[in-house]
Amino acid sequence: MFTGIIQAIGHLQHSQPRSGDVRLTVHTGELPLAGVALGDSIAVNGVCLTAVALTGAGFSADVSRETLALTTLGSLSIGNRVNLEPALTLATPLGGHLVSGHVDGVGTVRERHADARSWRLRIEAPAELARYIAPKGSICVDGTSLTVNQVDGAAFELNIVPHTAAHTIIGAYQVGTRVNLEVDLIARYLERLLLGEQAAVSAMPSALTREFLQQHGFK
């Protein structure tokens, strides 16, 4: 688990194809590694990765085909900067919100403009994630815990304060930038709970619909 509070910016140092998947080596910059051991989790642009080797200045992690397909990690180039956060502990202040490091989909930055000292971003999410995104709710963008300002269909708006812009890769976003998205855990589990016993039926649709809710007594 993570908090969505980025601890450092690193960069991709090496990418090695391995029998269909990839081993990435990340230079962790100012992220302290003294307490990191093999097998520990580190979020890279919001993706929970397991450290399989420690290099002194960073770590290596294996990235499965599933992760490559559903996140932006497969499109990283050597030198690309990445947001980093080590797994939280019981002593970690929960300054953001609970983040699992399991990316739900990839969104695209559609607009960016200045708003006083902040930046306003408009990001378009995959259509299947729209139902999980609510005004003033939480969303994780490339590992960063952010508050949704407004929602318009599958698009949502964010306000990026100067500190966030300076201490994460969000400050370098441009129109067209693809970003990893993780929706709020509560919304994800609430949908599953509403299915009740029907959740065990394999023929059930993967998402709740208005028709399904009406058939089961929800108005």
Side-chain angles (χ1 to χ4, degrees):
M1 298 293 294
F2 306 89
T3 68
I5 303 299
I6 301 305
Q7 300 297 310
I9 295 178
H11 68 267
L12 182 63
Q13 192 171 36
H14 188 60
S15 178
Q16 180 183 15
R18 290 198 169 192
S19 302
D21 55 34
V22 174
R23 175 168 290 188
L24 299 180
T25 300
V26 177
H27 188 286
T28 52
E30 297 181 359
L31 185 71
L33 293 177
V36 176
L38 293 180
D40 284 356
S41 296
I42 299 176
V44 178
N45 280 359
V47 183
C48 178
L49 297 180
T50 300
V52 298
L54 299 174
T55 65
F59 72 100
S60 296
D62 292 322
V63 183
S64 69
R65 294 175 64 181
E66 174 83 358
T67 301
L68 292 171
L70 297 178
T71 74
T72 62
L73 292 190
S75 61
L76 290 176
S77 299
I78 304 302
N80 280 171
R81 301 193 311 157
V82 292
N83 287 330
L84 299 173
E85 182 190 355
L88 65 83
T89 69
L90 292 179
T92 303
L94 191 58
H97 70 283
L98 286 176
V99 175
S100 68
H102 303 156
V103 170
D104 294 296
V106 174
T108 304
V109 177
R110 295 303 186 194
E111 297 179 18
R112 169 189 164 128
H113 64 269
D115 185 4
R117 295 185 303 117
S118 296
W119 287 97
R120 289 274 184 164
L121 295 179
R122 181 180 176 89
I123 297 177
E124 183 176 353
E128 62 270 19
L129 297 185
R131 62 186 181 275
Y132 301 116
I133 304 172
K136 304 309 175 184
S138 296
I139 192 164
C140 192
V141 179
D142 275 340
T144 307
S145 173
L146 297 168
T147 300
V148 176
N149 280 359
Q150 299 179 21
V151 177
D152 180 13
F156 60 95
E157 295 186 3
L158 304 168
N159 184 83
I160 309 300
V161 298
H163 180 87
T164 301
H167 292 87
T168 74
I169 65 172
I170 293 177
Y173 284 178
Q174 300 296 327
V175 173
T177 299
R178 299 171 69 245
V179 297
N180 292 323
L181 301 176
E182 182 185 331
V183 300
D184 186 63
L185 283 170
I186 296 175
R188 190 189 301 163
Y189 282 111
L190 179 60
E191 178 184 53
R192 189 69 173 170
L193 285 169
L194 285 173
L195 290 174
E197 294 180 357
Q198 295 297 323
V201 180
S202 61
M204 286 296 299
S206 59
L208 287 175
T209 64
R210 182 181 297 274
E211 291 74 18
F212 172 83
L213 291 173
Q214 290 176 341
Q215 289 172 7
H216 290 80
F218 293 90
K219 303 298 184 181

